[in-house]
Structures are given as structure tokens and as C-alpha cells.
Amino acid sequence: MRRTAAALVMIAAILVGCGAGQQGAPSRTERIRDLFPIMPWELQPEKQALLDEPGHGIESLRACGFDTVAFVRPDQLEKVEKAGMRALVGRPSDLRLKWRRMSDKAILDRVQGLVDAASASDALIGYFLADEPSASDFPALGKAVAAVKRLAPEKLAYINLLPNHATRAQLGTRTYAEYLERYLAVVKPQFLSYDNYSVQYSLDLRDRARGARYFTNLVHVRRVALEHGLPFWNAVGSNQIRPHTTVPSPANLALQAYTTLAAGARGLTWFTYYAGRYEYAPIDKAGNRTATWSYLKMVNDQVRALTPILIRLRSTGVYFTAPRPTTGLPRLPGKLVESIKSPTAVMVGEFSGAGNEKFVMVVNLSLERSAKVIVKAQAKRIERVSPVDRSLAPLAKDGSLWLPAGQGMLLKL
């Protein structure tokens, strides 16, 4: 496929923060590790068809702040390329594919077909393999991932894992910890991806037990990813996941995004963009943009503004102030932040970078009220990083900043 100017812009965006132009071209591994996709999650034939629509297709995703489209047909990659975006290819039939029932040759042929159908596009970053697999699928998926690594070494093999509240029967293991460790040992993935919609199931965290599952899952996956030297992606909710749950709001969308960033994730996935059987999605069943679309654009734009900084940093700690979402989550003080004074609970993510760079992400965990937050940290000066243009501004004279409900703020020490 011919490389367009938009495609070249897209490739340059992929390489932001990886040192291209300073220390030579990045390696294949670096190109994968320096991605920060912001993408929707769609894998049904009717939703793939909607991506072709002029009013609410791929261009509308770009307008809503997404930089990656998931999941597309191979023939849609040219449109993705023209839009200056990236994409993961997926076949709806693979959503229910029983990999464990396939022979080694069938697995290889299946992956070869994916690679052959889409390998010519510069917009392509990887291929969908499975969603929420059981541990019984891991041996076969390990062979599929190995095939992707061999046949398309610069591309990703996308597998999305179950959340921590899945049943033993779903997991195929006794515990969630065992599920993650077996996945890493058997499949040998390039990154971790999982979904958790407990913010919605908890009715905006009012059900503390259900809300706690979101935070324990986030902290657990972060720890495992760091131990194994892998990036991780978080898939969260942008629709009314069930008729009895809360709907998307500026606060709960911001909270899901900023807690993901504070934990050091390297990808943000929104389920879903199109309504389908879900209400209050960004695009309704008639193809119209909803209030959710506007809320989501606001949040995505902020994430896109901050990721050029975040992708060059390393997550060094995650902490919570009282009242913590649940017991067992790490408490302050951290290595950088000594204390936080706030009328609401706050999540703190600490980061380090080259040249002794130090950053902190603070997130207001209340979905009901704004909070005046006073940060005490080991720093001569603390500056706010604008989520619009990354400009720096000092805190108030008393060292405070205001965080609306669910909002986060990146601070440079």
C-alpha cells in the first residue's frame, strides 16, 4: 500500500518519546513498547461496517480523540492510514474461536491468513486473537502468539484477559493470581490487556465492595506487568454496561482514564463506541453523537496531551489516601509524595524519567465532589502540567490545586 503523508505523520506519532532522531532508529521492541493506544473496542460485523460510514466512522473516532481503531477489516486499513491513525485487525469469527481445539497447523494457517491479509499497511499495529480466554486456551494461544512474533515481528498479538471478579469456571484456575501467572508463563505475550467495568457495576463506586474490584485489579495487573517487564493496557467502560448500572459521565470517564494513567498503563481501551445492545454509548443506534461522545472527547483529548510525557517515564509507585477504596491497597507516604491533604480520597502515581525527571499523578477518587488538594512532596517546586498543551504552571501559594470529581492532574517535581 502506498505511504501517504498522513501515514508518515502517524508513524512519527508512534515514535514520540522513543528517542528517534537522537540516537538512531528505534528497534522493533522499542516501537512496540512506546505505543500508547487510545482505542474503542468493537468486534462485530455490523460495527465494523459502521466504521465505513462518513458521519460516524473512522473520521469521527479521530474527532473524538482516539488514535487507534479496533478492530478493523484489512480492507479498512487504507481509511485508517488516511486518517493518520493506527489499527488492530480483527475477524468477528475469531471472537468465539476455540483455539484449543485447533491443530498446530490450523493455528499457524489462521495466523498466516491474518498476516497475509493485512501486512501491507503502515497503519497496522497488530492482530486480534482472543477476548477473555480461559486458562485452558493458553497453550494454543501461546502457539498463536509465537506465530505472530515469527511471521510479523513488528506487530502485536492482541489478547484481552478476564477481570479479577471472573468465576473459577471462567478463569480455569483457582485464583486470579494463578490465571495471570499461567498466562505469562504459557502464552509469553508482548503486553497485558484486561477489562474491568466495576466503576459502572458499583453504581459510581457507591457499592464499595464492587468498586474495590476495579482498584485491586488495576494495582495487581500493574505489579505483575512490572515484575515481568511488560506494558499493560486497561479496558474500561464508555456505555451503560447493564440496564441497572450508571451511565457515562464526565466524572466517571475521567476517573477511569486518570487512574489508568496513574497506575502507569500504556494503553486505554473504551468499551464501546457504538451502541449496539448498550445504551448511552458515544454513538447511538441511529448513528447520532450523544452527550457521552462529548464527555469522551474531552477525556481522550487530555490523555493524548499527556501521553508524550508519560511514555518516556517509568512507574515507580502507586498509593492511596484515606479512606482507601479497600484495605490492602498501598498507603502514603511514597518515595516522592510525603502526604496529601484532601477532603476526598486520592490516588497517587509516582514516575521517574531520564535526567532525574520526577512526576506525580494525583486523582480525585470522588465521583460526587470537587476537592482542594494540598500536596507535600520532596521537591523544591511543584508545577501543574496542562492536559491541553503540556505547559507548566505553579501550584497556589499554599501548595494546593483543585480537582473536580474524578479528575486527575499530572505534576512535575
Side-chain angles (χ1 to χ4, degrees), residues 358-378:
K358 303 294 181 185
F359 287 84
V360 169
M361 180 76 78
V362 291
V363 187
N364 179 5
L365 298 185
S366 172
L367 291 175
E368 298 177 355
R369 59 183 294 194
S370 297
K372 182 181 180 181
V373 177
I374 299 177
V375 180
K376 184 179 179 181
Q378 299 178 21

Side-chain angles (χ1 to χ4, degrees), residues 2 37 55 61 93 95 107 123 143 151 165 186-187 220 227 229 251-252 264 287 289 291 299 319 337 346 364 383 402:
R2 182 173 55 88
L61 284 168
S93 59
L95 195 58
I107 291 172
K143 295 172 183 177
L151 297 172
H165 55 84
V186 175
V187 178
H220 188 176
E227 288 174 355
N252 63 33
R289 297 179 182 183
V299 173
Y319 308 95
V337 177
V346 172
N364 179 5
E383 296 175 299
W402 278 89

Side-chain angles (χ1 to χ4, degrees), residues 45-302:
E46 64 276 12
K47 291 193 173 184
Q48 284 185 329
L50 290 174
L51 293 171
D52 291 323
E53 297 294 327
H56 48 265
I58 290 169
E59 285 290 347
S60 78
L61 284 168
R62 182 183 181 185
C64 195
F66 292 97
D67 62 13
T68 303
V69 190
F71 301 92
V72 303
R73 302 187 310 263
D75 65 281
Q76 292 172 320
L77 284 169
E78 187 171 8
K79 291 182 180 178
V80 174
E81 202 170 316
K82 288 180 178 178
M85 301 176 75
R86 307 181 287 250
L88 289 152
V89 163
R91 292 178 294 206
S93 59
D94 287 353
L95 195 58
R96 298 289 178 259
L97 185 64
K98 302 297 183 184
W99 289 92
R100 64 180 179 272
R101 297 178 183 174
M102 298 170 65
S103 67
D104 290 1
K105 183 180 185 303
I107 291 172
L108 180 60
D109 289 346
R110 191 83 179 182
V111 174
Q112 184 75 66
L114 268 173
V115 172
D116 290 346
S119 60
S121 175
D122 290 323
L124 177 69
I125 62 170
Y127 315 93
F128 173 91
L129 295 184
D131 180 46
E132 298 188 337
S134 166
S136 61
D137 295 303
F138 291 170
L141 287 172
K143 295 172 183 177
V145 170
V148 171
K149 290 177 180 178
R150 180 165 63 86
L151 297 172
E154 295 185 11
K155 308 302 181 185
L156 295 172
Y158 179 92
I159 298 170
N160 184 61
L161 298 178
L162 287 157
N164 61 352
H165 55 84
T167 66
R168 286 188 180 184
Q170 290 172 313
L171 295 172
T173 58
R174 292 174 297 174
T175 66
Y176 191 68
E178 182 184 349
Y179 175 76
L180 291 181
E181 291 297 338
R182 189 180 299 182
Y183 176 71
L184 290 163
V186 175
V187 178
K188 297 179 173 57
Q190 300 141 309
F191 68 107
L192 287 173
S193 175
Y194 76 104
D195 58 63
N196 192 307
Y197 312 122
S198 292
V199 172
Q200 289 85 353
Y201 283 121
S202 67
L203 303 179
D204 278 354
L205 305 181
R206 292 198 299 275
D207 182 332
R208 287 184 59 83
R210 289 187 174 182
R213 301 184 308 200
Y214 173 80
F215 295 98
T216 55
N217 208 162
L218 183 60
V219 170
H220 188 176
V221 171
R222 171 191 176 272
R223 177 179 57 78
V224 171
L226 286 174
E227 288 174 355
H228 290 266
L230 295 174
F232 77 94
W233 302 1
N234 191 14
V236 292
S238 56
N239 60 46
Q240 187 184 35
I241 194 70
R242 293 292 184 271
H244 65 277
T245 63
T246 49
V247 303
S249 69
N252 63 33
L253 293 173
L255 180 135
Q256 291 176 102
Y258 274 100
T259 52
T260 298
L261 297 181
R266 298 300 292 269
L268 177 62
T269 305
W270 295 103
F271 183 84
T272 57
Y273 186 65
Y274 299 113
R277 63 188 181 93
Y278 300 102
E279 298 291 343
Y280 296 92
I283 302 294
D284 68 18
K285 295 173 184 177
N288 301 311
R289 297 179 182 183
T290 67
T292 302
W293 192 94
S294 299
Y295 306 155
L296 191 57
K297 172 179 170 53
M298 176 192 72
V299 173
N300 281 345
D301 285 347
Q302 292 181 32

